Amino acid sequence: SRTEAETLAARIAKEENIPLISVPQLRDLIGQRERRTLYPIDVRSSEEYASGHIPGFLWIPGGQAIQRADDYIAVRSGTVVLTCDATARATMAAYWYRRMGFKDVRVLKGGIRAWVDSGLELEKGRPVKPVLGLEQARETVKMISAQEVAQRLAEQGDMMILDVGTSQEYKAGHIPGAHWISRGWLEEKVPALFTDREQPILVTCLNGAQSTLAGATLV
């Protein structure tokens, strides 16, 4: 039942030291978005999200939020705030985020209900699937054209190439000499592959999104 789910969530939050933040605390975090990396995520269904969500919150249903966390969270040291209708689903997602190594994960206590009870309005509309952190990542990485890459490889040949697209995309075609690594394994595998910190690294993928996020991770 809903009551049992909320009781279980409260116990997990206490045992795992998952911070439950209030609506005023959430508003403070939103107000600091220009100075800190914030990932506000609504883990409810698309229908629930469309019926009303907290302004600025992105829709990523619970399963995807967990299974594809590395695709959405570009800066692992950023603050992740999860919400749902109350607290249960957001707390379970927060539990797994903490298990995956995300340090600053918080849950809005009371969820959407608490926001409404505080007299604040919700936005309505269908969810747009986000690529969280992409715009921030673009500001931290250096972009290079295909022509510049070809010239650098021809003249100096000192550039290591890392392909972070899917394995199927890599098999279908990649820059000659490129190493394939899933973006979720970057932090573990890159130090062994690229021992020279001064050596330039080119990060690439099929559409440029995953490589931009990966580049921000490596900076």
Side-chain angles (χ1 to χ4, degrees):
S1 68
R2 182 183 296 274
T3 300
E4 291 174 339
E6 293 297 329
T7 300
L8 175 61
R11 179 171 62 81
I12 291 175
K14 182 177 180 180
E15 292 176 353
E16 299 294 327
N17 296 315
I18 298 171
L20 300 179
I21 64 172
S22 65
V23 171
Q25 288 173 319
L26 171 60
R27 297 187 74 187
D28 286 343
L29 286 174
I30 293 174
Q32 300 171 27
R33 292 189 75 162
E34 296 299 320
R35 304 188 300 275
R36 69 189 300 164
T37 303
L38 178 66
Y39 297 100
I41 301 173
D42 190 321
V43 300
R44 298 175 299 159
S45 69
S46 61
E47 291 77 15
E48 290 173 300
Y49 181 92
S51 68
H53 54 269
I54 298 172
F57 268 70
L58 298 170
W59 172 73
I60 311 177
Q64 287 188 34
I66 295 167
Q67 296 169 12
R68 300 183 58 195
D70 288 321
D71 290 339
Y72 296 119
I73 310 298
V75 181
R76 293 182 72 90
S77 59
T79 300
V80 179
V81 179
L82 300 158
T83 192
C84 59
D85 55 337
T87 308
R89 284 178 283 178
T91 299
M92 293 309 299
Y95 168 82
W96 287 109
Y97 267 56
R98 291 283 294 273
R99 292 283 176 171
M100 290 186 288
F102 293 92
K103 303 298 183 184
D104 191 0
V105 184
R106 314 179 192 189
V107 171
L108 176 60
K109 186 176 182 179
I112 304 299
R113 297 176 192 171
W115 183 268
V116 173
D117 290 344
S118 297
L120 300 171
E121 295 185 357
L122 298 174
E123 286 183 345
K124 294 184 178 181
R126 304 303 300 179
V128 176
K129 196 170 184 178
V131 180
L132 289 179
L134 183 57
E135 291 304 316
Q136 299 97 313
R138 283 178 176 148
E139 297 175 0
T140 64
V141 299
K142 179 181 178 181
M143 298 293 181
I144 184 172
S145 69
Q147 292 77 11
E148 290 174 307
V149 171
Q151 183 177 357
R152 178 72 180 251
L153 291 174
E155 294 178 355
Q156 301 181 41
D158 63 341
M159 183 181 291
M160 298 296 291
I161 305 172
L162 182 63
D163 192 315
V164 295
T166 66
S167 58
Q168 290 83 2
E169 291 168 348
Y170 179 81
K171 290 177 182 177
H174 57 268
I175 296 175
H179 297 271
W180 176 77
I181 301 180
S182 170
R183 191 161 68 85
W185 289 96
L186 278 177
E187 293 170 324
E188 288 194 27
K189 293 190 175 181
V190 164
L193 278 175
F194 307 106
T195 56
D196 183 359
R197 293 299 182 93
E198 300 301 320
Q199 186 176 31
I201 300 176
L202 172 68
V203 188
T204 185
C205 68
L206 184 64
N207 60 16
Q210 295 303 316
S211 55
T212 299
L213 295 171
T217 300
L218 296 173
V219 170

